[in-house]
Each structure stands twice: as C-alpha cells, then as structure tokens.
Amino acid sequence: MSGFFETIGRGVVGLVDYLGHVTQVATESFQSLFTQRWRWRENVYQVYNIGVTSLPVVLLTGAFIGMVFAAQTYFQFHKVQMDTSTGPAVSIALSRELGPIITSLMVAGRVGAAMAAEIGTMRVTEQVDALRSLAVHPVDYLVAPRLIAMVISLPLLTAMSIATGIICAYVVSVEVLGIDGAYFLYNMRKYTEAEDIYTGLIKVFIFAFIIVFISCHKGLQCEGGAEGVGKATTEAVVNSSISILITNFFATMLLSKIIPP
Amino acid sequence: MIEISNLHKSFQGAPVLQGVNLTIADSERIVIIGGSGCGKSVLLRHIAGLLKPEMGSLKIDGQDITPLKERQLNPIRKKIGVLFQGSALFDSLDVFHNVAFSLLEERTLDDTEIRQRVSEVLEVVGMTGQEKKKPAELSGGMRKRIGLARAIIHRPKIMLYDEPTTGLDPQIADSINRLILKMSKNFSVTSIVVTHDMVSAYMVGDRIAMLSRGKILVSGTPDEIQGCPNPVVQCFIKGISDERDLGVLSASGLKRADLHAISS
C-alpha cells in the first residue's frame, strides 16, 4: 500500500517540478520580451518557418475537416428536413472548436516537434552552452523569437484554416449534396456571430503560448545525445497536444461565461 | 586572477568535485590533466559560469561568481572565451556569422569594423577566406580553429580550452597547441587548458595541475610533474594502467613501449 502512495507522491512531485520548469521558461520569455531588444531578423525568419511553411498542411486539414463535417451534418439534418442548417452548423463548429483545435494540434505536431528537436540538438552539442559563454541568454535568442512568431502565426493560420474549411464545406454541400447555395450562405451569415470567431481566436492565442513554452522547455532540458533529442521531441508533441485539449475545455467554459454563445 | 576554493559539485548524488582549491595568476598557462570522467570539464564549466557549485567559491578578478544569476554573469562572461570540445559552432550560421556572433549581439561596432575584426581573427587562426562556409563543410581541425576565432573575437582576458586536441591528428593537434601559445604570447591571456594529451600538456603549460578523486592532487611545472614521485601521477603521465608496471619500468629503465613488447 505504501508503494502505491509513494508512486502517486512521486508523480505529483514530478508534475509540480515539470510545471515549475515550464513556468520558469515562460517567466524568462516574458522578461526577455519586455527587457531585451527584439531580434527582428530572427523574428521574421521564425514567422516564415512557423507560419508560411505550415500553411499547406493547415489549409489541407481545414479543407477536409470542413468537407467531412459538412457531409456528416447533412446526413443527420437531412433526416429532419433541415438541410440548409448545415451551413451555420459547419461555420460555428469550425470557428469555435474544430478550426482552433485542429490547427493548433497540427502546428504542435509539426512546429513544436521541430522546436524541441532543434533546440535539443543545440543543447546536446553544447551550442546552448556556447550561447551562454558568449553572454547571450538562450531564452532571448531561442525562445523569444519563436514565441513572437507563434503568437503572430497561429491565429492567422487558424483564420485561414476556418475560411478554407467553410469554402470547402460550401462546395461539398452545394455541388455534391445538393443543398441550395443561397440558403446555405443566408443561414450561415444569420446564425454565425462575431463572438464565435473571437472565441476561437482567443483560445488559439493561449495555445500559441502553450506550444512554445512546452516545446522549447523540452529542447532546453534535453540530455543524452540522439536518444534524448528523440525523447524530447516526442514528449514535446504529446505534452503540447494534451495541454491544448485540457486547456481548450477550461477556456471554452470560461469564455462561455464571458461571451455567452 | 582566478581563485577557486573548496569547490564541490555532484551529479545525481555522485560527487565529481570534492573540494577543489586552485589559484591561477593573470597571463598564466595552466593545464589541468586527469583521467576521463574525473571532473576536468566540470571544473572548466564552473570557471565559465556554465555550472553552479553546491559549495565553495570561485572568484574572477576578486568577484565571487557562484551566487550570480544567469543574466548577472554576462559581464564576467565577456572577459572569458571558451573553446568547446566539439567546437559547438552554430550549425545554422556560416563561418562569418559564427565568428562575429558576439560582436553582432553587442551591436557596439558598425558592419565595417565587424568585418575587419572577423578578418583579423580568421588570419590569426589561419582560416582566411572561409567566411561563407557552413560548419558542416569544415573538418574537425578547421572547426576547432573557427571555434577559437569565435572565442577570441571579443578579446577575452581568460581563455578556456576544453580538450582542444582530442580527436585531431598529431599535426593538426600541434597546430592547435601552437595557436594556444600564440594567443597567450600575443594577447597575454590567461589560458586554462583541460586535456589528457600529455604532449599538448607539456607543450602549452607553464604549470600542470592533476585532478584526481575530485581534488587537485598535485600542481607544478612540467618538469616537476615529470619528476613527481606520486605513483598515480606517474601512471597517468606515462599512460600505465597497472601500478605494478610502474615498478618494473623504474627498476629496469625501460620505456612503456618496451614493456608492451615484452608482455606480448
């Protein structure tokens, strides 16, 4: 029995220790943003790296999520003669939940893994120590530009993903499933409100911080050569994804109080 | 001057440094020798402010750096240059941006002055005209030279060399040793070299200190170290793994190679 409690205790201590380290990276990042100079060249490169290069995969995901969600919604609504409600159902779901979550998970998988791997490799090859020996704080050089880029890129990627999803849902609904296009658009505009868009984008803003802090922390703490880099990369993606899903629930509940649906 | 007193450090409960005491004078060239895993690089990282000790003090020019936080260490770090064992060049940057890194970060010089300083240090290390190459295109010896150029560009008072000749062929190793001497003589920097290469140790050291079991076992000139009666020191500098062989060598006047020939 004591072994059981010991295991639980170790897990809790480990979790608190981990959260403490991530918080430390977050604190140092904010300190860097407000007290150190911004590296504009590095920021622009990271916006390209995180935002522009993620665009194809994010648009493709948004398109297919929009199309399949439109088809499934139509199949159910058609049974009760509510075909034209497919438009608002798709647009609200994409704006509030599917767009932000799917885009954030895709970016966590693609960019979060790259961040952890790149910084982790720098750590195990002493490049992070070299930065420190040259009087440059690793957070200033490695984390702050990625944070700025992610906060700019992720909301834009999400907005584009949602727009693509809605366009593709319209094409499938009208051209394949035979819904009247005018009613699809009319109902969509009638029932989709600005709050639906804000809610999604506010959540994405939070997810951007989560992805950067967790992935960069994993990279900066990486130890043990190639195996360590692989482990850090996997953990960065898993931890970011789980944190996004958990935070999404609480953010949704909180935002529903502030901005009622 | 660097004053290290009673420095302790352990990793996951395993003690590495157990009360290191060492004083290094300005412009001195000291070589720290010792077996693999004895804590030579750990000691060097403490001097560079990259590790924090559990106990003891480490003063650089009279200032104890052990209680300082990461950002507070930056003024001290500007006095120090480090040549890492694996060179630690930034993969994503070309040679020019690697070498100019600290000057570009400081932003106190204009582009022309930075280019001039980069050309100067590349000439010192014999790598003129390599500015556009990426670290992946360089050999081990070239990487060490570029690492050295990056470390000296901000004109440090103290140079730390972590295994500068490890993994290099004897000729390249000799050229790196000569660079260490050149740095010391031309710029009067304090040089601390960590190595287990005794050829390098005898060549570059004014003084050699041996680290064993977490403490400085012995410290003296290369001649004093060679004449040191301590069997641990003699075994290490002669490359003998079994202390009994040391007695055979001393009694017979044979060299280590003769001993290997006899035993085979």
Side-chain angles (χ1 to χ4, degrees):
Chain A
M1 194 65 178
S2 65
F4 171 75
F5 287 115
E6 205 176 305
T7 310
I8 299 275
R10 277 215 189 102
V12 171
V13 169
L15 180 66
V16 171
D17 185 52
Y18 172 68
L19 291 175
H21 280 111
V22 175
T23 308
Q24 193 181 354
V25 171
T27 311
E28 282 172 351
S29 304
F30 286 120
Q31 192 184 355
S32 173
L33 286 183
F34 295 112
T35 62
Q36 304 297 311
R37 69 177 176 85
W38 284 25
R39 292 167 170 76
W40 288 105
R41 209 169 144 167
E42 186 65 16
N43 292 347
V44 170
Y45 171 73
Q46 290 298 338
V47 168
Y48 171 79
N49 200 24
I50 293 170
V52 179
T53 61
S54 297
L55 201 54
V57 71
V58 164
L59 293 187
L60 193 74
T61 313
F64 279 91
I65 290 289
M67 288 192 285
V68 79
F69 193 71
Q72 289 289 3
T73 308
Y74 168 81
F75 297 146
Q76 303 308 316
F77 280 7
H78 185 64
K79 292 175 190 168
V80 289
Q81 306 291 310
M82 287 175 63
D83 301 8
T84 55
S85 296
T86 300
V90 168
S91 74
I92 292 170
L94 278 174
S95 305
R96 280 186 169 266
E97 292 298 335
L98 290 175
I101 279 287
I102 298 291
T103 308
S104 300
L105 291 177
M106 291 304 292
V107 171
R110 190 187 169 279
V111 180
M115 279 183 195
E118 195 178 338
I119 298 174
T121 305
M122 287 184 74
R123 161 104 176 147
V124 299
T125 56
E126 297 181 309
Q127 291 177 57
V128 172
D129 283 337
L131 275 177
R132 294 170 67 205
S133 77
L134 294 165
V136 175
H137 198 298
V139 168
D140 296 348
Y141 189 75
L142 298 172
V143 184
R146 286 169 170 79
L147 181 61
I148 293 166
M150 184 66 87
V151 167
I152 294 169
S153 304
L154 194 58
L156 290 173
L157 285 170
T158 305
M160 284 188 256
S161 169
I162 293 169
T164 310
I166 291 172
I167 292 166
C168 293
Y170 173 85
V171 172
V172 168
S173 302
V174 175
E175 302 299 330
V176 181
L177 303 171
I179 299 172
D180 188 306
Y183 280 115
F184 181 99
L185 289 175
Y186 176 78
N187 283 339
M188 190 177 79
R189 280 197 208 127
K190 188 176 174 187
Y191 294 106
T192 309
E193 298 187 4
E195 287 80 358
D196 298 320
I197 313 280
Y198 302 155
T199 309
L201 294 182
I202 289 169
K203 287 198 289 190
V204 155
F205 197 67
I206 300 167
F207 300 157
F209 287 99
I210 289 174
I211 295 169
V212 174
F213 293 148
I214 289 178
S215 304
C216 291
H217 165 261
K218 278 289 164 196
L220 289 170
Q221 296 293 314
C222 182
E223 278 176 352
E227 191 187 354
V229 174
K231 198 175 159 202
T233 308
T234 308
E235 287 178 358
V237 176
V238 171
N239 293 2
S240 301
S241 303
I242 290 171
S243 303
I244 286 169
L245 293 170
I246 294 171
T247 309
N248 182 50
F249 170 73
F250 290 106
T252 302
M253 298 308 285
L254 184 68
L255 286 169
S256 70
K257 302 283 179 203
I258 301 166
I259 311 167
Chain B
M1 179 181 271
I2 300 168
E3 297 161 279
I4 303 165
S5 62
N6 198 28
L7 206 71
H8 284 74
K9 181 72 179 176
S10 59
F11 292 100
Q12 292 163 346
V16 178
L17 302 180
Q18 301 179 70
V20 173
N21 292 295
L22 188 65
T23 303
I24 302 161
D26 285 342
S27 307
E28 189 181 5
R29 285 193 310 276
I30 183 168
V31 177
I32 298 166
I33 58 169
S36 298
C38 75
K40 304 184 295 289
S41 296
V42 171
L43 179 58
L44 201 76
R45 284 167 172 272
H46 277 90
I47 300 171
L50 299 173
L51 286 175
K52 288 236 175 276
E54 280 139 16
M55 204 203 297
S57 71
L58 200 159
K59 290 181 182 172
I60 294 177
D61 293 338
Q63 187 182 6
D64 188 1
I65 65 164
T66 54
L68 298 181
K69 291 184 178 163
E70 187 71 23
R71 289 185 198 277
Q72 292 172 326
L73 279 166
N74 285 348
I76 301 285
R77 284 179 175 150
K78 286 180 182 171
K79 294 181 187 177
I80 302 173
V82 185
L83 175 60
F84 288 88
Q85 191 174 349
S87 306
L89 299 180
F90 303 124
D91 297 332
S92 57
L93 305 179
D94 61 19
V95 166
F96 174 82
H97 287 93
N98 261 289
V99 175
F101 192 85
S102 56
L103 300 183
L104 292 167
E105 282 294 316
E106 262 180 23
R107 304 173 86 187
T108 49
L109 301 179
D110 64 33
D111 282 358
T112 318
E113 287 171 307
I114 290 175
R115 285 192 182 282
Q116 197 181 338
R117 286 274 284 274
V118 170
S119 299
E120 280 170 20
V121 291
L122 286 178
E123 197 182 330
V124 169
V125 300
M127 291 290 288
T128 307
Q130 307 289 330
E131 286 91 335
K132 291 202 188 315
K133 284 192 175 165
K134 282 285 184 88
E137 299 169 58
L138 305 173
S139 67
M142 290 163 96
R143 289 170 71 97
K144 291 267 182 186
R145 284 162 183 268
I146 299 300
L148 184 57
R150 182 179 68 181
I152 64 174
I153 198 162
H154 62 282
R155 295 173 181 164
K157 279 181 66 185
I158 301 164
M159 267 302 301
L160 310 178
Y161 302 89
D162 189 2
E163 308 271 11
T165 56
T166 300
L168 303 178
D169 72 52
Q171 282 182 313
I172 302 285
D174 183 66
S175 70
I176 297 290
N177 289 334
R178 284 176 196 282
L179 273 176
I180 296 172
L181 288 171
K182 189 174 169 184
M183 282 298 306
S184 170
K185 284 172 185 162
N186 292 2
F187 304 106
S188 297
V189 295
T190 308
S191 305
I192 304 169
V193 183
V194 155
T195 187
H196 47 231
D197 172 0
M198 289 314 298
V199 175
S200 174
Y202 293 140
M203 186 171 169
V204 302
D206 291 331
R207 181 155 67 109
I208 297 174
M210 180 161 177
L211 193 65
S212 176
R213 298 188 178 179
K215 289 185 177 179
I216 298 292
L217 182 67
V218 63
S219 166
T221 63
D223 287 341
E224 284 169 347
I225 293 293
Q226 279 179 301
C228 178
N230 190 321
V232 176
V233 177
Q234 286 300 316
C235 279
F236 183 81
I237 64 174
K238 289 177 178 161
I240 297 167
S241 60
D242 189 341
E243 233 176 76
R244 285 171 301 179
D245 292 344
L246 195 63
V248 175
L249 280 179
S250 307
S252 63
L254 295 171
K255 290 182 179 169
R256 191 179 61 147
D258 301 329
L259 197 70
H260 286 310
I262 293 164
S263 62
S264 61

